[in-house]
Amino acid sequence: MKTISSLHDPAAPALGLSPEAHQHLGRDFLWGVATSAYQIEGAVDVDGRGASIWDSFARQPGRTVNGESGAVACDHYHRWAEDVAMIADLGVDAYRFSIAWPRVQPLGLGGFNAKGLDFYERLVDGLLARGVQPHATLYHWDLPQHLQDLGGWGSRDTAFHFAHYADLIARRLGDRLASLATHNEPWCTAVLGHEQGKFAPGERDPQLAAQVSHHLLLSHGLAMTAMRASAAACPLGIVLNQVSVSAASDSAADQAGARSEYARFVRWYMDPLFLGQYPQDTGIAHYPEIRSGDMALIQQPMDFLGINYYSRTWISSAEPAVPAPKALGETDMGWEIYPDGLRELLVGLKRDYALLPPLFIMENGMANADSVSDGRINDSARIDYVRRHLEALAQAKAEGVDVRGYFYWSLMDNYEWDSGYAKRFGLVHVDYASQKRTLKDSALWYRDGIASLRALTAGRREEALHG
Ligand code: IFM
């Protein structure tokens, strides 16, 4: 197979970045790739794993495209060693994955499952042995079904069960993890899972969704407290999906619409975590029941904040609505490609939250139907997408935002939830029939780009040292 260096001029700037971006992303910047348990592991009935809400949801007719589920996915549970070797060969610094709660605690309460815990021990040690930092997330949407039967995230008790599970993981893996995040994208669990019915458990109840968001935040606070005690050296945080919001015009209605959308999406999580209160200007009627002491618990100091950015939200109150311009087009998800939104978002966070910890882009990427020719998987659109977002990220750094790393979503094509397997986000192509992994052009570009950034940085260090 050809490598990207034989496709591109080796003297060209690393990752095609501008000299300014080089300067900001060259030194001490962490490069990674990300996945999540249910989307890649498969092996849902193996070694004592309990059922999760996604197993049940995907079985319900009409919930996912073609009724597809993560039952096999990328079979990563059995192929983890090969996948770790592939990650190491990409030359990235870090790998972000999630732990399947039902694999390590089948019912979500009570006994833990030694075989499930062993799997993550092997994965973490395997990564470390290959020089790749392991970054784990405790909850990426696969709640044990048993807890759902007891009320799921709508029940306050689930927050306490989660803290117990978090504590156990911190004790077992905290000495070797490079970071441990409580939740991935709580907005999705609350809104897509409990208001829009698109994700498990498929509820459509806005009041329940508000309560769920509060219980997720509460569980984060409880888990942070428990984990601080048991894994003092491990950096702890949370990962939020965020957007930039653009108003279609200067009209009062569009401007107000954009402000309340931002309050519902971004501030709904940021304000409790960093200001100790929910925003009041969301324009929504549904607020959760909050008990005394909850907000203080939620507002725990964090070592890092993970941001997932894919696109912007466009607000038009006109009839008919003014469509988003989509000057750079859209991805296969129908999401507008809008890299400058990443810069806007990050600069806004720095402006609004004095207590902001160091940031990591924990997810950014595009779904793209890649074309295969001559055994090569051409995904130049993905390369362009990432390069533009890296430029935006470098600009945010130039404007003073403390961003320490970038994880591409995703390492490999995988189960895209209700969209099934048709949407391909991977740097690595997966042939689901054979489970063969093939590096796409973007993977080669990422690998060679990271390597030459490092070489440049090393060169600059040499120059600085020896003149
Ligand atoms: O695949 C998802 C991931 O699980 C969470 N963030 C967004 C990705 C793309 O939709």
Side-chain angles (χ1 to χ4, degrees):
M1 175 181 298
K2 286 180 185 172
T3 66
I4 205 83
S5 48
S6 62
L7 303 169
H8 295 280
D9 175 5
L15 294 166
L17 295 172
S18 63
E20 295 75 30
H22 262 168
Q23 210 187 331
H24 290 289
L25 305 180
R27 196 179 292 259
D28 298 332
F29 195 74
L30 192 84
W31 296 98
V33 287
T35 63
S36 90
Y38 190 71
Q39 292 178 272
I40 65 165
E41 283 180 4
V44 292
D45 296 324
V46 174
D47 287 345
R49 177 188 177 277
S52 85
I53 54 174
W54 268 94
D55 300 312
S56 323
F57 184 73
R59 264 198 302 272
Q60 294 168 24
R63 293 296 202 176
T64 69
V65 167
N66 301 325
E68 287 167 355
S69 77
V72 178
C74 307
D75 194 30
H76 169 76
Y77 187 77
H78 296 115
R79 295 167 194 264
W80 68 271
E82 164 196 337
D83 289 339
V84 165
M86 182 172 75
I87 294 166
D89 287 347
L90 282 177
V92 291
D93 303 298
Y95 174 56
R96 172 177 181 244
F97 61 96
S98 78
I99 294 168
W101 186 354
R103 203 178 280 294
V104 301
Q105 194 182 24
L107 298 180
L109 47 78
F112 287 91
N113 175 27
K115 286 188 173 163
L117 284 162
D118 288 349
F119 170 70
Y120 295 106
E121 292 265 3
R122 285 197 295 277
L123 178 63
V124 167
D125 290 341
L127 288 163
L128 289 171
R130 294 257 186 178
V132 180
Q133 294 180 10
H135 293 253
T137 303
L138 288 164
Y139 188 75
H140 199 123
W141 312 348
D142 41 2
L143 187 74
Q145 180 60 42
H146 181 69
L147 287 187
Q148 186 61 40
D149 298 341
L150 300 176
W153 287 110
S155 160
R156 198 176 161 89
D157 291 346
T158 302
F160 292 85
H161 297 312
F162 177 75
H164 184 51
Y165 152 63
D167 182 44
L168 186 274
I169 297 296
R171 279 174 205 279
R172 281 292 289 257
L173 301 176
D175 58 335
R176 280 156 290 157
L177 290 174
S179 81
L180 184 50
T182 53
H183 287 281
N184 181 69
E185 306 185 347
W187 180 90
C188 293
T189 300
V191 175
L192 300 182
H194 296 83
E195 185 173 332
Q196 296 182 7
K198 277 165 64 88
F199 279 9
E203 301 289 345
R204 291 175 186 273
D205 176 347
Q207 183 59 48
L208 173 64
Q211 197 60 50
V212 162
S213 66
H214 183 66
H215 290 159
L216 289 165
L217 285 167
L218 179 66
S219 75
H220 160 81
L222 291 165
M224 290 290 289
T225 316
M227 295 191 299
R228 282 276 179 236
S230 45
C234 182
L236 304 175
I238 191 169
V239 179
L240 304 175
N241 53 319
Q242 299 194 339
V243 291
S244 65
V245 182
S246 302
S249 78
D250 287 341
S251 76
D254 283 355
Q255 292 295 319
R259 272 195 305 277
S260 41
E261 175 64 16
Y262 186 76
R264 283 194 294 269
F265 209 115
V266 175
R267 291 180 49 218
W268 188 264
Y269 295 91
M270 289 298 289
D271 286 13
L273 290 166
F274 295 104
L275 305 175
Q277 63 195 18
Y278 284 99
Q280 295 303 311
D281 51 351
T282 55
I284 52 174
H286 305 284
Y287 275 78
E289 183 205 324
I290 301 168
R291 297 208 190 151
S292 154
D294 284 3
M295 300 315 289
L297 254 174
I298 290 169
Q299 205 189 353
Q300 298 292 317
M302 275 189 261
D303 303 309
F304 71 92
L305 173 67
I307 302 288
N308 297 351
Y309 175 84
Y310 289 89
S311 187
R312 72 168 160 183
T313 304
W314 178 260
I315 301 293
S316 168
S317 54
E319 281 292 343
V322 177
K326 300 199 178 176
L328 296 174
E330 61 179 31
T331 71
D332 273 9
M333 298 298 281
W335 299 344
E336 182 187 5
I337 301 173
Y338 189 66
D340 195 50
L342 177 58
R343 184 198 58 79
E344 257 172 53
L345 169 71
L346 296 178
V347 169
L349 296 180
K350 176 181 157 57
R351 179 193 59 221
D352 295 341
Y353 300 96
L355 299 176
L356 203 63
L359 303 179
F360 288 83
I361 304 306
M362 287 295 199
E363 287 184 25
N364 172 246
M366 96 182 277
N368 188 29
D370 317 313
S371 69
V372 184
S373 74
D374 262 357
R376 236 187 78 198
I377 301 175
N378 178 328
D379 59 346
S380 51
R382 178 171 289 108
I383 294 176
D384 194 53
Y385 178 100
V386 178
R387 191 183 51 74
R388 287 177 186 274
H389 283 83
L390 291 176
E391 286 287 340
L393 182 55
Q395 282 175 30
K397 283 196 79 175
E399 291 179 48
V401 183
D402 183 5
V403 194
R404 308 260 174 107
Y406 175 91
F407 290 71
Y408 179 78
W409 180 274
S410 175
L411 163 68
M412 56 184 158
D413 296 336
N414 59 48
Y415 178 63
E416 180 55 24
W417 307 110
D418 58 327
S419 305
Y421 290 95
K423 307 290 185 222
R424 291 179 176 268
F425 277 88
L427 292 176
V428 176
H429 179 270
V430 177
D431 174 346
Y432 294 108
S434 64
Q435 290 295 347
K436 182 171 185 297
R437 278 82 159 127
T438 307
L439 269 55
K440 302 180 188 177
D441 280 359
S442 58
L444 303 170
W445 168 83
Y446 199 55
R447 180 193 70 189
D448 294 350
I450 294 169
S452 55
L453 261 181
R454 288 216 184 95
L456 273 176
T457 313
R460 276 199 224 113
R461 277 202 191 114
E462 279 294 299
E463 266 173 43
L465 283 173
H466 306 295

